[in-house]
Amino acid sequence: MLKRSLTAGAVLAAIAAAVIYNNSSETTPEATVAQSAPEATVAETVAVEAAPAQACGDVTIADMNWNSATLMAHIDEFVLENVYGCSVELVPGNTMATGASMTEKGEPDIAPEMWSNSMRVAFDKGVEEKRLRYAGKSLSEGGEEGFWVPKYMVEANPELKTIEGVRKNADLFKHPENPDLSAFYGCPAGWNCQINSGNLFRALKLEDDGFELVDPGSGAAMSGAIAKAYERDEAWFGYYWAPSSVLGKYEMVKVDFGSGIDEEEFVNCITKEDCESPKVTMYPPSPVNTITTESFAAKAPAAFDYLATRSFTNQQMNEILAWMEDNQADGDVAMEYFFANYEDTWTQWMSAETAETVKTKLAALEN
C-alpha cells in the first residue's frame, strides 16, 4: 500500500507555507504536522499547478460521516487538486445537515455520496432553480436495502429466501432475550430505516408468526449481531443495506417478499412515521448521487465532468468497506488503497492522459 509523504490536499499549501495538513478522519480532525517540502517537488508543482488552480479556485467537499462517503471525499480531493488544480477543503457533513446547507446556502460545493431519497423534493427544487446539479451516480446500482438471512441458511433450506419460508421457520430465529419469541432485527432508534423497517414489519404481519422487532441499539450492534451469527453458524433475520462492510464480509441473501416494488406505497407510506396501514413492498433501489452547487459546475466544468463519471458498483464498495473495517483505515488511507488496487476502475473515469497524471502524482506519495 502507498505511504504518503504529502497529503492529497496539501500541494498548494506546501508551496505557500511548507507544511502538510492531515485532513479530517471519519471521527476526529488530525493535527497539523510541520514538514519541509522537497525543493524539486515544490518547483515542479508551481509550474504545473498554478495556472489551473486559478481557474478552479477554492472548493469545499463534504466529508460525510460514514466510510463509503469519506472514501469518495478523499478520492475527489486528490483528483481535483492534483489534476484540476482546485484548492480543496474537506468539511464535516451528514445527509440532512449537508443537504440543507447546500440547498439553502450553496455550500459545501460537493457532496460526493448523497442518498437523495431523503431530500429529493429539496434537491429537485434546487436543480430547477439552477442552484444545484446532480453530477452523476455515486453508486451505479443505487443503494440496496432489504430484509436478509445468512447465505448458509438458504443453502441448508432454500425456502428461507422467501418471506413465506421465513414465516414457516420462525422458530429458527431465536429471540436473544425471550425463548418464546423469534427475533427480527430492525434499525436503531432515530435512524430513518427504523421507520421503514418497522412499517414493513407491520405490513408483513410478522408479529402474528411470533416475531418481535428488536432494536439493536446502535449501528455497531447491528453489524455485531450478524458477525456473531456467522461465527456460531446461527440464524439471523433482519434489515440491512448495501454497500456496507458487513455485506462485504458476510454473504447474505435478500428475502423476497413476493410483492414486487410499489414505489408509490414506499414513498408515501412506508417511509412515513404516521403510516397507518402499510402495504407490503420490496425496497426500491435508493438513488445515490454526487451533488454539486451550480456555481462549482459553472466555474470548473472539467472537474464536474469527472464527478459525473466517478461511480462504484455495490460489490466494489462492499469489498473496500470490508478492507477499511479490517484495517481500521480512515478515508485518507483507504483512498491510497483504492488507487493502488482498483486501477482498472478509476482509469475508466478519465482520459488516458489524465490517468497518467494521477499515476505520476500517486508515485510522488511513495516513500
Side-chain angles (χ1 to χ4, degrees), residues 159-229:
E159 66 182 358
L160 291 174
K161 65 184 178 183
T162 68
I163 195 64
E164 291 307 318
V166 170
R167 292 178 189 278
K168 183 178 175 182
N169 295 275
D171 59 338
L172 293 175
F173 303 95
K174 298 297 184 185
H175 194 287
E177 298 176 357
N178 188 337
D180 295 328
L181 294 174
S182 301
F184 167 80
Y185 288 85
C187 279
W191 289 29
N192 286 339
C193 55
Q194 183 194 36
I195 297 171
N196 58 55
S197 61
N199 282 333
L200 285 172
F201 179 88
R202 290 193 294 125
L204 291 164
K205 299 181 179 178
L206 291 174
E207 190 173 359
D208 294 348
D209 298 293
F211 283 97
E212 181 174 82
L213 200 162
V214 177
D215 181 344
S218 68
M222 289 176 75
S223 57
I226 295 176
K228 179 181 176 182

Side-chain angles (χ1 to χ4, degrees), residues 149-161 230 233 251-253:
V149 294
K151 184 178 179 181
Y152 54 78
M153 295 189 71
V154 174
E155 290 175 341
N157 184 357
E159 66 182 358
L160 291 174
K161 65 184 178 183
Y230 251 81
D233 201 29
E251 291 188 276
M252 305 289 284
V253 174

Side-chain angles (χ1 to χ4, degrees), residues 114-130:
M114 186 65 76
W115 291 59
S116 49
N117 266 348
S118 58
M119 298 188 68
R120 172 64 66 176
V121 173
F123 289 146
D124 286 350
K125 183 178 180 182
V127 171
E128 183 181 348
E129 295 176 351
K130 299 190 181 304

